[in-house]
Structure formats: structure tokens, C-alpha cells
Amino acid sequence: MYDFDQIIDRRSTDCVKWDNLEELYGDKDLLPLWVADMDFPVAPAISNALKKRTEHGVYGYNLISDRYYQAVINWMKRRHSWDIEREWIVFTPGVVPALSYAVRAFTKPGDKVIIQSPVYHPFYSTIETNGRHVVTNPLIYKDGKYYMDYEDLEEKIDSRTRLLFLCSPHNPVGRVWTEEELRRLGKICLENDIIVVSDEIHFDIVFKGHKHTVFAKVSEEIRENSIICTAPSKTFNIAGLQVSNIIIPNRRLRERFNIELEKDHISRPNIFGQEALIAAYEESEEWLDELIHYIEENKNYFIGYVENNLPQLEVIDSEGTFLLWVDCSGLNMDPEELNHFFVNRCKLALNRGDMFGQEGRLFYRFNIGCPRSILKEALDRIKEGIESL
Ligand SMILES: Cc1ncc(COP(=O)(O)O)c(C=O)c1O
């Protein structure tokens, strides 16, 4: 019913993905499959709600409405079978700011925060810019799939380790962690007094045969030890509206987190973000189900194309997210040569794997949240690029 094949020209909309290429890659004519937003228009209910609010003409201070809270509560219940209470919901203008607030709320300068690399790059910077230390607990890459390394985790923990950032589902490797995997992780963290900040921003886009488990649902003890970061931004392609909800069931942890927000006087979403969230969570599920299907088909198309035409690449079969992690070691290039190859020969703007950690140095991340014709164009460019070597 919805047309995800439609091409919308995003150029000249001050958009990071398409309008920033000259500055970032030195060439404005690249085809961008990098930063994690999608090239699809939003669900009609969202654009209608925004139009209606725009037409009102007065955009003064707003309240967080009951409809907003109820929409979040209903979403968690319907899509994630998670019963939450209204007072657990803390608004922040993004998940990355929430990571930073969590670092400040739950650690002291010089403390250590664990991350599971390769991982979304602001995990590093939110820790480091706050004067804390990153401890990496690299994922294990085995037979084309990624796993958590619990032994390494236990070895790395010491008395200064206070916090762990979990990425669930995992960006960039595309794992949707199983309940069992999460339980094991949660147990180690509980035993060592480590609070878990679970970034679940990608939790709505999960493929057939996989199920997202909200970390706090694993057990009551784990729930009391976790901060769950959620947002409609990736799911409904509204990252520019800057709305996210951090769900903190434990009162003590919530109070500590809120102190950090209060210092910056952050308390509510802007009116457009609020309207968009309500329309997304209350009226756009059908759109989302079709979107997930389309992205899964994009993934299958990508994998099929690579299998048939690009034996030098190996795609890590993702279980969710609109991001694909691709092993490029078969091209026999070092990271700088790979960068040169993708930018100068293929004319593509992608995310280089080493930005997620040195484990990713021979990988690239592709954003497949785009019309299939764009994906085909990108893959054709790689094929031609290899042929021209
Ligand atoms: C795992 C993860 N967390 C957070 C974000 C960004 O969050 P926000 O834009 O809400 O700060 C992204 C965006 O790519 C992401 O992949």
C-alpha cells in the first residue's frame, strides 16, 4: 500500500546525508548510504499531524500531554509486550544526549564504561568527552556472526567500572540479542554492580524469525538495574524532530538521571516532535509493518547481489536495523585504500568500519533504508569499481 520505491530528492533540504558530502567526503556528487536516517517519506498520519499543528500558527510553550505518555505506554505494550508506568518515562531530545547524561549521572571522572565494539561511534565520544574511560569488550566474530564475549567482559571489570552501554539491536553488526544472551550479560553486570544503559533505538525494526527483548524485561533484578533508551526516530524516520524516551523503572536511578537533565533545564519535546510521536505510535503501525518488510527485502536483494556479483565482499546477515555490516577484507586493501576505492572509484558515501572501533577496519556500513533502485545503483557502482581495478 505504501510506496517505498518512490525517490524523493532530499538535496537542498539542509539534510546531513545528502547536503554535506563535499565537506565530509570531498565530493558533492556521491551516492550517500551513510548516516542512519532513511530516504523514505514518513507515514501519512505523521505528515498530516504536523500539517495540522503548523496551520494553527501559534507555537508557544507546550506541556507534555497525556496523549503523549499514553502513546508511549501503549507502544511498549503492543509492540514489545512491556508494561511500563508513566513515571518511568523521561523525555530527552535524543538518545545520544541520554547516553551522555547517564555517564554523568552514574559515574565519576576517571571511572570506566564498557562498550561492545565494533559499536555506534558516539558510544566512545560520550564517555571520553565526559572525562571517563572507555573499556572495550569486543564482540566475537565467528563464521559470519557476532557474539558477546562474557569471559573477556569479566576479565575487564574492576573497581572503577560502573556502567555498560549495550546496543540492542546492535549497530553496526545487526544482531538482535536473544533473551538468553541478555540474561547472561545482565547477570554479570548485577554481580559486579554495573548499571546497564541499553540503547534500544533500533528495537522496532526486526526481521522475521527474530524477536527483540527489551533488556529490562529479562528479570525484575535486571529491570531495576537498567536504563532503556527508546525513540520513534529510527523507526519512523523522524530523527530531525529530536524526540526520545528514556525508560527508567528504578526510582533511585531515575532521580539521579533527572538531576543531570534539570541542570540543563531539559524537560519536554518541541511541539512538532510531540505531535509526530503521537501520530507515529498511535496511527502508523501498518506503515511500519510494510517498512520492515521492504527493508528485509532490501537486505535480501543486497545479499543476493553480492553473492552473484561481488565475491570479494561478505555481508553479515542482519537480524534487524536498516544497516548492513559488510566485510571488505576480500578486496585486499588497507583502510585508506578502501576509503579511496569507495569514494573515488565507486562514488559512494558510506560509513567506514574503523569509526566503530579498530575491529571494523576492513568493514563498511551500508544504510539500506532507501528505495531499492538506489541500492541497485550503489551495488552496480561497486561492481564497476572492482572491474576497473
Ligand atoms: C545505536 C544508536 N543510538 C543512537 C543513535 C542516535 O540517536 P539520537 O539521534 O536520538 O541522538 C543512533 C543513530 O544512528 C544509533 O544508531
Side-chain angles (χ1 to χ4, degrees):
M1 189 179 141
Y2 300 101
D3 183 9
F4 294 105
D5 286 325
Q6 182 193 358
I7 304 261
I8 299 213
D9 188 359
R10 297 183 64 191
R11 286 190 193 88
S12 308
T13 60
D14 294 337
C15 122
V16 171
K17 197 188 213 166
W18 291 80
D19 288 331
N20 208 16
L21 296 168
E22 173 87 62
E23 203 176 314
L24 289 177
Y25 294 87
D27 184 346
K28 70 176 176 23
D29 292 320
L30 305 181
L31 187 64
L33 283 83
W34 69 290
V35 67
D37 67 21
M38 301 186 279
D39 292 327
F40 307 123
V42 295
I46 300 177
S47 43
N48 289 338
L50 292 177
K51 274 185 216 140
K52 193 166 158 219
R53 190 62 186 87
T54 311
E55 279 162 12
H56 182 262
V58 181
Y59 315 125
Y61 291 117
N62 57 312
L63 296 163
I64 308 192
S65 64
D66 287 342
R67 286 194 308 142
Y68 178 93
Y69 283 115
Q70 208 48 55
V72 176
I73 292 168
N74 292 345
W75 188 258
M76 297 309 154
K77 172 88 180 152
R78 273 202 319 277
R79 301 291 295 199
H80 298 287
S81 314
W82 189 28
D83 287 307
I84 61 166
E85 291 174 21
R86 176 178 167 139
E87 63 183 21
W88 299 357
I89 304 171
V90 179
F91 162 79
T92 62
V95 165
V96 174
L99 299 176
S100 191
Y101 287 124
V103 167
R104 295 211 280 275
F106 305 119
T107 66
K108 293 195 181 67
D111 280 348
K112 298 177 181 174
V113 182
I114 299 179
I115 61 174
Q116 296 177 305
S117 52
V119 74
Y120 180 55
H121 46 290
F123 276 32
Y124 295 85
S125 53
T126 51
I127 299 166
E128 285 164 350
T129 53
N130 280 302
R132 277 64 163 174
H133 299 294
V134 169
V135 174
T136 55
N137 165 224
L139 299 173
I140 297 169
Y141 176 45
K142 190 161 165 268
D143 301 330
K145 191 168 169 179
Y146 282 86
Y147 303 89
M148 292 190 195
D149 189 341
Y150 304 100
E151 280 167 26
D152 176 73
L153 173 62
E154 289 193 292
E155 273 169 29
K156 299 259 171 86
I157 293 170
D158 67 16
S159 59
R160 294 303 299 264
T161 321
R162 299 266 177 259
L163 209 59
L164 180 141
F165 282 174
L166 167 67
C167 197
S168 175
H170 191 98
N171 168 11
V173 310
R175 276 301 315 279
V176 173
W177 305 113
T178 64
E179 186 170 340
E180 219 20 69
E181 287 173 309
L182 296 172
R183 188 181 307 282
R184 214 169 148 191
L185 179 80
K187 188 166 171 280
I188 295 172
C189 291
L190 277 171
E191 283 165 1
N192 291 283
D193 243 336
I194 293 172
I195 297 166
V196 177
V197 177
S198 185
D199 177 343
E200 307 196 9
I201 198 166
H202 293 281
F203 69 161
D204 291 311
I205 300 181
V206 168
F207 304 139
K208 273 191 225 85
H210 301 281
K211 189 177 169 305
H212 176 77
T213 304
V214 173
F215 186 64
K217 277 192 67 196
V218 172
S219 77
E220 208 166 305
E221 277 175 296
I222 287 177
R223 184 187 74 193
E224 293 302 309
N225 190 46
S226 55
I227 316 291
I228 310 297
C229 304
T230 75
S233 52
K234 300 290 162 197
T235 313
F236 291 101
N237 206 24
I238 52 172
L241 293 172
Q242 300 183 322
V243 192
S244 53
N245 296 294
I246 313 308
I247 303 176
I248 313 176
N250 181 278
R251 190 172 53 83
R252 196 177 45 86
L253 296 186
R254 198 167 59 242
E255 283 171 0
R256 280 165 68 186
F257 187 84
N258 275 333
I259 289 171
E260 291 307 314
L261 291 186
E262 280 160 18
K263 284 182 192 164
D264 289 352
H265 292 257
I266 287 175
S267 54
R268 49 187 180 253
N270 72 67
I271 47 173
F272 295 106
Q274 171 155 309
E275 290 297 335
L277 177 139
I278 295 166
Y281 280 173
E282 292 290 308
E283 296 176 68
S284 307
E285 259 181 293
E286 229 179 276
W287 180 92
L288 176 59
D289 290 333
E290 285 191 31
L291 171 84
I292 296 169
H293 180 70
Y294 191 89
I295 293 172
E296 187 164 4
E297 296 277 290
N298 265 1
K299 178 193 81 161
N300 294 338
Y301 176 80
F302 195 113
I303 291 175
Y305 189 107
V306 167
E307 274 172 11
N308 293 325
N309 302 284
L310 304 170
Q312 300 84 349
L313 304 187
E314 189 187 348
V315 185
I316 309 309
D317 193 0
S318 61
E319 299 170 347
T321 82
F322 53 83
L323 306 165
L324 266 189
W325 188 235
V326 180
D327 184 344
C328 303
S329 55
L331 285 167
N332 294 319
M333 296 180 191
D334 67 27
E336 292 320 311
E337 290 166 338
L338 278 174
N339 183 51
H340 188 269
F341 170 74
F342 284 120
V343 174
N344 299 87
R345 264 189 201 265
C346 307
K347 300 281 178 199
L348 293 175
L350 307 171
N351 285 99
R352 13 184 326 162
D354 51 9
M355 69 193 287
F356 304 94
Q358 56 87 24
E359 303 83 3
R361 53 196 288 281
L362 300 180
F363 287 74
Y364 266 71
R365 192 190 76 175
F366 288 71
N367 178 345
I368 60 168
C370 59
R372 200 151 307 140
S373 57
I374 292 187
L375 210 54
K376 179 174 184 313
E377 171 68 28
L379 290 161
D380 286 345
R381 288 185 187 198
I382 299 175
K383 187 163 176 269
E384 282 158 29
I386 291 176
E387 282 162 5
S388 75
L389 285 173

